[in-house]
Amino acid sequence: QVQLVESGGGLVQAGGSLRLSCAASGSIIGINAMGWYRQAPGKQRELVATIANSGRTNVKGRFTISRDNAKNTVYLQMNSLKPEDTAVYYCNVNWLGQTIWGQGTQVTVSS
């Protein structure tokens, strides 16, 4: 099994920046794509960004996703944050055809 640990969330003012990290451990050899989702109160979980082993990325909005294979870590750089970005952000991994989720990290953007 693969375990994911997210970090980097917190409280920021509108216009600020945050970098989220997701470190994978365990049977990492089976990891394919990695990504970030978010879920705000009263909203369904939505895709933010993904990155495949090939390096191909799919990014929504003002965010940038990157990957450090040596550290088995994926990052989400968030700039120009807005209050509507407030949500719990979840790391996601495609592992041996299965979907693995982290516990999530809270991002709160104040106006």
Side-chain angles (χ1 to χ4, degrees):
Q1 182 67 289
V2 172
Q3 294 181 346
L4 305 175
V5 179
E6 301 106 327
S7 62
L11 174 64
V12 299
Q13 293 184 344
S17 300
L18 284 175
R19 176 185 273 116
L20 306 184
S21 300
C22 175
S25 62
S27 301
I28 58 176
I29 193 172
I31 294 177
N32 187 8
M34 303 181 70
W36 288 95
Y37 288 69
R38 69 183 182 186
Q39 187 167 22
K43 302 289 185 178
Q44 66 182 32
R45 188 171 298 184
E46 64 175 344
L47 175 66
V48 177
T50 61
I51 183 169
N53 288 346
S54 65
R56 186 179 69 176
T57 61
N58 188 0
V59 182
K60 177 181 180 179
R62 296 153 280 111
F63 304 160
T64 301
I65 189 171
S66 61
R67 189 173 184 174
D68 187 339
N69 291 329
K71 298 181 178 180
N72 302 311
T73 301
V74 64
Y75 304 94
L76 183 68
Q77 179 66 47
M78 304 186 294
N79 299 322
S80 301
L81 285 164
K82 301 177 180 180
E84 54 262 40
D85 295 321
T86 296
V88 177
Y89 285 72
Y90 296 92
C91 181
N92 168 272
V93 170
N94 184 293
W95 177 77
L96 299 179
Q98 303 179 37
T99 300
I100 308 297
W101 296 94
Q103 296 300 312
T105 183
Q106 176 70 49
V107 172
T108 303
V109 184
S110 64
S111 59

